[in-house]
């Protein structure tokens, strides 16, 4: 049976800004004391007496759902698993239609915890791996055995069928190791690999970032390996320059033609926001600029009426970001100038590019003749098994391929043909029992590491 398929569409017109992604720091409690933590989290059992209560969290979820019930909600910390009501908050958000994921360091993930998250409707977890060298990772996370615990958490996710992402924060410590960590994530079965570029806030104020030249080099590498890892999405975070580099490499690429949430520029305050444990709403986790507190004002009111968010949605940029022909496609990170000197509209000093003048380059739209072909029920079932945030992009690519092939119906066979054309036939082989062989030779290993 053929049916029409309509997925949420996010358009970046002024009147239709939607929070596609909301990061919620539920607690400052954490079992680690990571060197780069923007929240300066710690004190495993103490926490903050000002954390939003369970009932307050339910109310905030209701308010978020009024703005966009299809948001991706990232419940994180600190370490969110230290909040006993985490499954209850997750379950309540999923009943409102949100896709809920949990951001964790992975060290506290057990079979029992994972089953609780799955029962609550959690779609996946993100686990940080900042080095495959146990000494380096553990020093960075300030806990002996931290990498061992994260790897055990990944294995527990695989054992129980919970999808996971791997996150890495790029730094001078792991700059040369990023390709190996990415390869590890793929072989381990990660659905997404996110490389975060450090914004020096919180405890990270005392850290030195990679150089602008290294920044540029790593972003170029991320683009070059997009098709190397079939089934794993590779993305940069806190690096809008990614879109400019993609355009320079290929103006016709699917990355430069992305619209809305993926359409370019810093997402802070446009499609992204952060909630602190105490209920402050900020444009992003790395910009600790409160636009109001959710105990005094509703999420929907702050999202729609904040002057700071209005600035970020129609930014009057300064410095070279204002002069740059890529200001609409990239626009620079807004958190970095704020962290540096308190001006979120100033130029991003970590951008290596020198503007050349000329007309502004805009995100490009795909143009098609006629409506897309209908989807079979079996094809829809295959599509909705993908993570929510991938569905719209995959849908567009499949429909384009169907047009090219002259197909009258989108079927699983057509989708498989596109997958093979894009990625080839190889899929990662992984021993679900242990992680032997995934850590490259030559790095330090804990005696008892898996």
């Amino acid at each position: 049976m053929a049916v029409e398929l309509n997925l949420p569409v996010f358009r970046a017109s002024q009147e239709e800004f939607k929070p596609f992604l909301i990061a919620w720091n539920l607690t400052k409690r954490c079992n680690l004391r990571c060197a780069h933590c923007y929240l300066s989290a710690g004190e495993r059992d103490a926490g903050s007496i000002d954390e939003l209560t369970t009932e307050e969290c339910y109310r905030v979820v209701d308010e978020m759902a009024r703005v966009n019930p299809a948001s991706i909600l990232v419940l994180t910390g600190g370490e969110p698993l230290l909040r006993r009501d985490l499954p209850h908050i997750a379950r309540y958000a999923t009943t409102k239609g949100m896709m809920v994921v949990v951001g964790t360091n992975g060290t506290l993930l057990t079979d029992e915890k994972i089953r609780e998250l799955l029962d609550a409707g959690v779609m996946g977890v993100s686990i940080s791996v900042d080095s495959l060298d146990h000494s380096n990772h553990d020093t960075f996370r300030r806990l002996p055995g931290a990498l061992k615990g994260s790897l055990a958490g990944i294995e527990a996710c695989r054992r129980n069928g919970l999808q996971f992402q791997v996150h890495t924060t790029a730094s001078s410590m792991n700059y040369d190791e990023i390709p190996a960590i990415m390869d590890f994530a793929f072989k381990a079965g990660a659905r997404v690999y996110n490389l975060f570029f450090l914004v020096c806030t919180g405890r990270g104020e005392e850290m030195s970032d990679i150089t602008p030249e290294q920044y540029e080099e790593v972003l170029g590498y991320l683009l070059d390996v997009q098709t190397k890892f079939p089934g794993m999405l590779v993305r940069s975070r806190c690096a809008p320059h990614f879109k400019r580099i993609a355009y320079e490499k290929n103006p016709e690429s699917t990355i430069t033609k992305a619209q809305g949430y993926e359409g370019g520029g810093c997402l802070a305050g446009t499609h992204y926001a952060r909630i602190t444990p105490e209920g402050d709403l900020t444009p992003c986790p790395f910009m600790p600029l409160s636009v109001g507190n959710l105990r005094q004002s509703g999420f929907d009111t702050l999202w729609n009426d904040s002057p700071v968010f209005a600035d970020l949605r129609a930014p009057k940029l300064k410095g070279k970001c204002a002069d740059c022909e890529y200001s609409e496609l990239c626009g620079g990170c807004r958190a970095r100038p704020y962290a540096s000197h308190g001006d979120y509209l100033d130029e991003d000093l970590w951008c290596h590019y020198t503007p050349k003048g000329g007309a502004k380059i805009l995100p490009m739209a795909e143009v098609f003749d006629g409506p897309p072909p209908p989807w079979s029920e079996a094809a829809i079932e295959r599509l909705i098994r993908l993570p929510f945030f991938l569905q719209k992009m995959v849908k567009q690519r499949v429909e384009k391929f169907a047009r090219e092939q002259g197909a009258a119906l989108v079927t699983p066979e057509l989708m498989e043909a596109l997958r093979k054309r894009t990625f080839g036939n190889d899929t990662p082989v992984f021993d679900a029992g242990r992680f032997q062989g995934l850590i490259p030779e030559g790095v330090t290993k804990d005696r008892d590491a898996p």
Side-chain angles (χ1 to χ4, degrees):
M1 177 185 297
V3 295
E4 295 296 329
L5 177 60
N6 294 306
L7 294 175
V9 176
F10 301 93
R11 296 186 296 275
S13 60
Q14 179 62 28
E15 69 276 6
E16 292 195 32
F17 284 102
K18 299 287 186 181
F20 188 92
L21 182 65
I22 302 168
W24 194 340
N25 298 117
L26 288 175
T27 182
K28 288 184 178 178
R29 282 173 280 175
C30 192
N31 58 323
L32 307 183
R33 291 187 57 82
C34 303
H36 65 300
C37 182
Y38 60 82
L39 202 62
S40 298
E43 299 183 3
R44 171 176 177 141
D45 298 318
S48 169
I49 60 174
D50 292 330
E51 289 176 0
L52 295 177
T53 66
T54 306
E55 292 301 322
E56 287 177 318
C57 290
Y58 291 162
R59 175 180 54 78
V60 171
V61 168
D62 289 335
E63 294 164 356
M64 290 189 293
R66 287 200 291 268
V67 181
N68 183 17
S71 297
I72 299 173
L73 180 60
V74 182
L75 300 177
T76 184
E79 174 49 61
L81 292 172
L82 291 175
R83 272 196 68 146
R84 295 180 181 178
D85 59 355
L86 173 64
H88 304 294
I89 298 170
R91 181 179 293 106
Y92 190 80
T94 59
T95 65
K96 299 296 179 178
M98 296 180 180
M99 175 182 174
V100 178
V101 296
V102 172
T104 172
N105 57 52
T107 61
L108 302 181
L109 283 171
T110 63
D111 292 339
E112 181 182 1
K113 290 283 188 183
I114 290 174
R115 286 192 290 267
E116 286 181 354
L117 296 179
L118 287 168
D119 183 63
V122 170
M123 295 296 294
V125 297
S126 60
I127 298 175
S128 297
V129 176
D130 293 302
S131 176
L132 299 178
D133 183 309
H134 286 264
S135 177
N136 286 342
H137 180 95
D138 294 358
T139 299
F140 192 65
R141 296 281 164 177
R142 297 182 179 177
L143 179 72
L147 179 58
K148 178 181 177 182
S150 295
L151 296 181
I154 290 174
E155 187 175 9
C157 288
R158 289 187 54 89
R159 190 163 56 242
N160 291 278
L162 180 61
Q163 293 183 10
F164 65 93
Q165 308 176 13
V166 170
H167 290 183
T168 301
T169 297
S171 69
S172 56
M173 178 270 293
N174 63 10
Y175 162 71
D176 292 330
E177 200 181 351
I178 289 170
I181 301 173
M182 195 180 304
D183 190 58
F184 160 80
F186 175 65
K187 291 177 180 177
R191 299 302 298 270
V192 180
Y193 179 80
N194 280 325
L195 182 63
F196 284 79
F197 289 83
L198 182 67
V199 179
C200 298
T201 60
R203 273 200 297 270
E205 285 181 341
E206 301 176 359
M207 294 187 65
S208 59
D209 203 352
I210 60 176
T211 68
E213 291 79 12
Q214 291 172 326
Y215 193 175
E216 191 92 354
E217 179 184 347
V218 172
L219 288 175
Y221 173 76
L222 291 182
L223 281 167
D224 291 339
V225 300
Q226 287 292 303
T227 59
K228 179 181 177 182
F229 303 110
M232 184 178 79
L233 182 68
V234 177
R235 282 291 182 265
S236 64
R237 290 291 177 252
C238 305
H241 318 69
F242 189 65
K243 300 298 288 292
R244 185 256 304 166
I245 296 173
Y247 187 94
E248 290 175 328
K249 286 180 174 287
N250 179 14
E252 295 294 323
S253 75
T254 55
I255 294 175
T256 64
K257 291 182 178 180
Q259 299 291 305
Y261 168 68
E262 294 283 357
C266 180
L267 299 176
T270 61
H271 296 290
Y272 185 28
R274 183 274 296 258
I275 302 171
T276 71
E278 301 81 14
D280 286 324
L281 185 65
T282 78
C284 81
F286 304 107
M287 196 186 303
L289 173 62
S290 176
V291 304
N293 189 277
L294 295 170
R295 285 186 166 121
Q296 284 79 50
S297 302
F299 179 94
D300 44 351
T301 299
L302 294 177
W303 177 265
N304 292 321
D305 299 339
S306 163
V308 173
F309 287 173
D311 279 351
L312 294 168
R313 292 167 191 173
K316 296 179 181 178
L317 300 177
K318 303 174 185 179
K320 70 176 184 179
C321 283
D323 300 330
C324 186
E325 60 272 30
Y326 291 100
S327 61
E328 295 293 328
L329 193 68
C330 167
C333 172
R334 299 297 97 221
R336 287 192 174 88
Y338 182 80
S340 170
H341 54 280
D343 188 349
Y344 53 80
L345 296 177
D346 208 350
E347 66 182 57
D348 183 348
L349 295 175
W350 236 247
C351 177
H352 189 60
Y353 182 74
T354 301
K356 297 179 174 61
K360 298 292 185 182
I361 299 171
L362 302 176
M364 301 172 64
E366 296 274 13
V367 179
F368 302 113
D369 294 327
W375 287 62
S376 70
E377 289 185 350
I380 292 176
E381 290 178 1
R382 176 167 176 161
L383 180 68
I384 63 178
R385 287 199 299 268
L386 295 173
F388 179 84
F389 52 88
L390 295 180
Q391 291 176 15
K392 182 171 178 279
M393 176 182 68
V394 172
K395 175 178 180 288
Q396 291 174 335
R397 294 182 181 179
V398 169
E399 289 176 348
K400 179 182 178 182
F401 182 65
R403 288 185 177 95
E404 293 172 352
Q405 301 298 311
L409 181 68
V410 175
T411 64
E413 292 74 21
L414 185 80
M415 298 173 73
E416 180 63 15
L418 175 59
R419 187 196 68 78
K420 289 183 177 180
R421 189 183 77 169
T422 304
F423 298 117
N425 293 317
D426 295 333
T427 57
V429 177
F430 185 85
D431 179 359
R434 303 298 287 168
F435 284 88
Q436 296 289 352
L438 286 185
I439 304 295
E441 293 297 326
V443 302
T444 304
K445 294 186 179 184
D446 279 353
R447 181 178 58 186
D448 299 323

